[in-house]
Amino acid sequence: MPEDLPQRVRTVWWEEDEKSATVVLLDQSLLPQQVVYLHLKDEEQVADAIKTLKVRGAPAIGVTAAFGMALALYRLQREAAERGEALTLDQAHAHLLAAGHLLGLTRPTAVNLFWAIERMQRRADQLVGQGCGVEELGRALRTEAQAIADEDFAACQRMGEYGAALIADGDTLLTHCNAGALATAGWGTALAPMYVASRAGKQIHVFVDETRPILQGARLTAWELQQEGIPLTLITDNMAGHFMHHGGIKAVFVGADRIAANGDVANKIGTYSVAVLARAHNIPFYVVAPCSTVDLSLPSGEHIPIEQRNPEEVTRVRDAQVAPVGVNVANPAFDVTPHTYVTAIITEKGIARPPYEVTLRQIFRDEHDSGR
Ligand SMILES: CSC[C@H]1O[C@H](OP(=O)(O)O)[C@H](O)[C@@H]1O
């Protein structure tokens, strides 16, 4: 897989010149019709972008929040300097805590968000404890946020390589939602094995669930695969079973937003149904996720908070009202797939297979021993 990421699928990055700094985001809510880049100037704008899915996808959310915290301190420092005031370390530290709290309120399910905020906070606590200067703290946080982004890029590469070994030339695959480059700071999670396999010359075909209600599959995954030249067939979510029966699908690859210690997986709503259908057709069901998506503090999936989103995402498609006004609506953004339906969990540290309460901890022990 190439080291570079084509501009078309660069999700989020930091831009700075002598006068200002911004977090730059590809506005995914406008894709595929419009490619629009947002230049966010403060943590409130970053928080709003996460909450309104201008940026989405568990790893991308974590990277964006990390840049948002660095931006919060950068902005405070610039404003103090323009007033001719010196920011104290305590003020900087308190502001970072407030920014982390604000960003942590945006979406509850993707653990990468909290993992990134806590990692930035730990770095700040460490430096404040060492009595660093405010300028040094600001620089260190920008470096830490970039490190989180760079590590995610590398993790996507490795997940792609591990996952591609499970894909044979001529395979037909299925995926749900978007777990591609647009969901990460690299080539994606569930789509990375497809990119690696395709670039290695394997001929693959991908069935893409449109993924109601926000249509990440139709709008984002179809767009990504089309740009990459990977053949795809877009289907509605209720067609998945039919094509598992008739379409020669050899494997399912999906992403994840939070994986509990026993291997239960929270992912986009509809993933559980796909997993049950895959099992019914003896099709391997692979979850692809970096270690930053694994939450060993939760023993099982029933402890994973599930985001409930605006009912209008169900009753309206773009600007068209499709349901009677006033009907009762349920709109959970995620569901939990029990680990018993998960064939393997592909991480950047290798492929975990059941029993996940053992193999996930082993991967984490290796991760911890590597000093990450
Ligand atoms: C690589 S994580 C992608 C993951 O995030 C998506 O949810 P959302 O678009 O609401 O952020 C979906 O669950 C994907 O599998």
Side-chain angles (χ1 to χ4, degrees):
M1 191 100 93
E3 282 307 309
D4 67 302
L5 197 64
Q7 179 60 39
R8 69 175 187 271
V9 286
R10 279 194 73 196
T11 308
V12 55
W13 66 92
W14 178 274
E15 274 189 4
E16 183 175 348
D17 58 27
E18 60 284 350
K19 294 199 181 79
S20 69
T22 55
V23 173
V24 185
L25 274 185
L26 171 58
D27 184 345
Q28 299 188 34
S29 68
L30 300 178
L31 288 175
Q33 286 79 9
Q34 298 177 69
V35 178
V36 172
Y37 293 96
L38 305 174
H39 294 260
L40 308 180
K41 295 181 173 33
D42 60 39
E43 62 275 23
E44 283 83 5
Q45 289 181 351
V46 172
D48 179 70
I50 294 172
K51 191 165 180 58
T52 57
L53 274 66
K54 292 184 175 65
V55 59
R56 31 66 49 203
I61 290 173
V63 170
T64 302
F67 279 131
M69 287 183 74
L71 185 64
L73 181 52
Y74 177 92
R75 180 180 64 84
L76 194 71
Q77 285 176 282
R78 295 290 299 198
E79 287 172 0
E82 282 159 10
R83 294 193 304 270
E85 295 170 8
L87 198 62
T88 69
L89 201 53
D90 285 348
Q91 286 170 325
H93 200 208
H95 190 68
L96 274 170
L97 279 170
H101 178 71
L102 173 74
L103 290 159
L105 292 175
T106 53
R107 299 186 74 190
T109 305
V111 70
N112 307 62
L113 172 66
F114 308 98
W115 170 84
I117 291 169
E118 287 160 18
R119 174 166 162 177
M120 294 292 285
Q121 208 60 61
R122 279 199 308 275
R123 183 66 178 131
D125 295 348
Q126 178 190 34
L127 288 164
V128 168
Q130 293 165 0
C132 75
V134 174
E135 288 294 327
E136 180 191 354
L137 178 61
R139 284 194 301 275
L141 288 181
R142 293 193 287 279
T143 301
E144 192 72 12
Q146 189 56 53
I148 289 172
D150 295 344
E151 287 166 24
D152 187 64
F153 182 94
C156 291
Q157 302 277 81
R158 290 200 294 273
M159 289 185 284
E161 287 147 16
Y162 281 120
L166 302 170
I167 298 173
D169 184 22
D171 274 359
T172 297
L173 309 170
L174 182 138
T175 193
H176 189 75
C177 197
N178 173 260
L182 293 171
T184 67
W187 281 95
T189 59
L191 296 193
M194 302 177 192
Y195 288 135
V196 172
S198 174
R199 286 178 179 235
K202 295 178 184 174
Q203 300 303 310
I204 62 174
H205 188 110
V206 185
F207 279 87
V208 176
D209 282 357
E210 67 170 356
T211 316
R212 282 274 289 149
I214 307 281
L215 301 174
Q216 288 93 327
R219 294 188 303 108
L220 307 177
T221 297
W223 185 72
E224 278 198 45
L225 294 178
Q226 186 183 56
Q227 303 257 344
E228 181 70 9
I230 295 178
L232 71 109
T233 298
L234 177 61
I235 60 174
T236 60
D237 301 331
N238 51 8
M239 296 178 188
H242 171 78
F243 285 106
M244 286 189 197
H245 190 59
H246 296 286
I249 291 165
K250 288 292 191 308
V252 174
F253 287 83
V254 298
D257 290 82
R258 195 182 300 225
I259 301 173
N262 70 341
D264 290 348
V265 176
N267 196 52
K268 182 52 55 197
I269 190 73
T271 302
Y272 177 33
S273 309
V274 169
V276 172
L277 284 166
R279 172 59 53 85
H281 294 85
N282 297 314
I283 296 172
F285 180 84
Y286 297 120
V287 174
V288 191
C291 289
S292 52
T293 305
V294 177
D295 184 353
L296 294 180
S297 75
L298 298 184
S300 60
E302 65 258 21
H303 303 283
I304 298 175
I306 300 298
E307 180 184 11
Q308 304 296 321
R309 291 189 63 85
N310 184 335
E312 287 202 349
E313 292 176 351
V314 175
T315 58
R316 301 177 66 83
V317 179
R318 290 279 160 109
D319 295 327
Q321 181 76 19
V322 293
V325 174
V327 292
N328 189 44
V329 176
N331 187 18
F334 303 96
D335 57 26
V336 175
T337 299
H339 61 88
T340 49
Y341 290 96
V342 179
T343 307
I345 298 174
I346 300 162
T347 77
E348 72 274 33
K349 286 289 178 182
I351 299 178
R353 295 183 184 272
Y356 294 116
E357 57 277 351
V358 173
T359 52
L360 288 177
R361 286 191 187 282
Q362 181 55 48
I363 279 180
F364 256 69
R365 259 197 299 278
D366 297 349
E367 188 74 358
H368 178 74
D369 294 349
S370 70
R372 174 165 174 266

